[in-house]
């Protein structure tokens, strides 16, 4: 089937605006992750969803960041009152289950905050 | 805290040659997994190879192999017979009892004709 998809591919916004980034995981995958990749850096964990359990939000950098996963499938990452330092590529990954299984990544959303 | 270090920000290799990318990590855990991911310009992260810490045998996937030295906490990736399509960022990643992968900052590999 199809892989992980993310939309939009690119997003340019003005400082102070809110943005929503969408992730469609692979059907049947129970776990979903959001990561942030800043220029020249590795991937920084943001949030983790596993089935119907409460998400692990320990990686969210501030209370301006939030995420939800509806029906155990599609996930939305919301950034409120965007700042220039939020500019990065936001990657989503889904996992078929289990802590050590391969993570299947989407192509990411490049966010630019002017 | 777990850390992953990739000491080579950039590397270059000629087509058909062999190149080794370095990775070291720090953990107090005994059971964990190590990964190498490839990120081409398309941004799509692709799993290259995976190693379970409890396995002594080094993982191999076609032209890709690892040298896993558990005592030294080293996990290097060897690419044999390099191809132009291997040009990409390569990330070493570590997973233990936590949920998320801990990534290094990556090595940019350029394969030249």
């Amino acid at each position: 089937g199809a892989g992980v998809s993310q939309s939009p591919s690119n997003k340019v916004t003005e400082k102070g605006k809110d943005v929503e980034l969408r992730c469609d995981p692979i059907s049947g995958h129970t776990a979903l992750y959001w990561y942030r990749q800043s220029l020249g850096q590795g991937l920084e964990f943001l949030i983790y969803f596993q089935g119907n359990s409460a998400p692990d939000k320990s990686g969210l950098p501030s209370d301006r960041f939030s995420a939800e996963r509806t029906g155990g499938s599609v996930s939305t990452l919301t950034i409120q009152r965007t700042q220039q330092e939020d500019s990065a590529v936001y990657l989503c990954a889904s996992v078929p289950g289990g802590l050590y299984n391969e993570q299947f990544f989407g192509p990411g959303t490049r966010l630019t905050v002017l | 805290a777990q850390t992953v270090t990739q000491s080579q920000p950039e590397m270059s290799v000629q087509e058909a040659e062999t190149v080794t990318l370095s990775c070291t990590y720090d953990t107090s855990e005994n059971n964990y997994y190590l990964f190498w991911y490839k990120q081409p310009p398309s941004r799509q992260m692709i799993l290259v190879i995976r190693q379970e810490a409890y396995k002594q045998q080094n993982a191999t996937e076609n032209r890709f192999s690892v040298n896993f030295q558990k005592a030294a906490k080293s996990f290097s990736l060897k690419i044999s017979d390099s191809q132009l399509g291997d040009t990409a960022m390569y990330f070493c990643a570590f997973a233990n009892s936590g949920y998320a992968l801990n990534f290094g900052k990556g090595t940019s590999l350029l394969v030249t004709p």
Side-chain angles (χ1 to χ4, degrees), chain A residues 4-9 21-24 34 90-93 105-109:
Chain A
V4 178
S5 61
Q6 291 187 246
S7 60
S9 177
L21 312 180
R22 177 186 170 106
C23 172
D24 285 84
W34 283 97
Y90 290 81
L91 291 163
C92 170
F105 284 83
T109 293

Side-chain angles (χ1 to χ4, degrees), chain B residues 73-110:
Chain B
K73 296 179 182 176
S74 171
F75 183 61
S76 61
L77 174 69
K78 185 172 81 171
I79 306 174
S80 304
D81 186 26
S82 297
Q83 300 176 359
L84 297 178
D86 295 335
T87 291
M89 284 289 292
Y90 286 81
F91 292 95
C92 178
F94 167 97
N96 60 353
S97 56
Y99 299 131
L101 295 176
N102 293 285
F103 285 86
K105 292 188 176 183
T107 296
S108 178
L109 177 66
L110 176 65

Side-chain angles (χ1 to χ4, degrees), chain B residues 32-104:
Chain B
Y32 50 87
Y33 281 65
L34 294 160
F35 305 83
W36 278 98
Y37 276 88
K38 168 185 176 181
Q39 187 180 40
S42 66
R43 295 201 310 244
Q44 186 82 48
M45 294 281 282
I46 303 165
L47 179 67
V48 174
I49 199 163
R50 183 175 83 165
Q51 174 80 43
E52 295 91 334
Y54 64 86
K55 289 187 177 180
Q56 293 185 342
Q57 186 172 7
N58 290 323
T60 300
E61 288 287 343
N62 300 315
R63 298 182 295 107
F64 300 88
S65 61
V66 299
N67 183 4
F68 174 47
Q69 302 289 329
K70 190 173 183 179
K73 296 179 182 176
S74 171
F75 183 61
S76 61
L77 174 69
K78 185 172 81 171
I79 306 174
S80 304
D81 186 26
S82 297
Q83 300 176 359
L84 297 178
D86 295 335
T87 291
M89 284 289 292
Y90 286 81
F91 292 95
C92 178
F94 167 97
N96 60 353
S97 56
Y99 299 131
L101 295 176
N102 293 285
F103 285 86

Side-chain angles (χ1 to χ4, degrees), chain A:
Chain A
V4 178
S5 61
Q6 291 187 246
S7 60
S9 177
N10 291 282
K11 175 72 175 179
V12 180
T13 190
E14 294 180 347
K15 178 181 173 180
K17 299 283 189 181
D18 297 352
V19 295
E20 284 190 354
L21 312 180
R22 177 186 170 106
C23 172
D24 285 84
I26 295 172
S27 177
H29 281 195
T30 58
L32 186 147
Y33 296 77
W34 283 97
Y35 293 90
R36 178 169 69 176
Q37 184 178 25
S38 302
L39 187 63
Q41 301 294 315
L43 275 67
E44 173 191 11
F45 165 73
L46 297 177
I47 190 168
Y48 162 76
F49 295 90
Q50 172 62 57
N52 296 320
S53 302
D56 176 357
K57 304 179 182 179
S58 60
L60 295 178
S62 77
D63 59 8
R64 296 186 296 105
F65 288 72
S66 63
E68 63 177 19
R69 189 180 184 195
T70 54
S73 180
V74 173
S75 179
T76 302
L77 176 69
T78 301
I79 309 173
Q80 295 178 311
R81 305 181 302 282
T82 53
Q83 304 294 312
Q84 288 184 331
E85 59 263 31
D86 298 335
S87 296
V89 174
Y90 290 81
L91 291 163
C92 170
S94 72
V95 185
L99 284 175
Y100 305 130
N101 284 349
E102 176 185 353
Q103 297 192 13
F104 293 80
F105 284 83
T109 293
R110 182 178 296 281
L111 175 65
T112 303
V113 182
L114 302 177

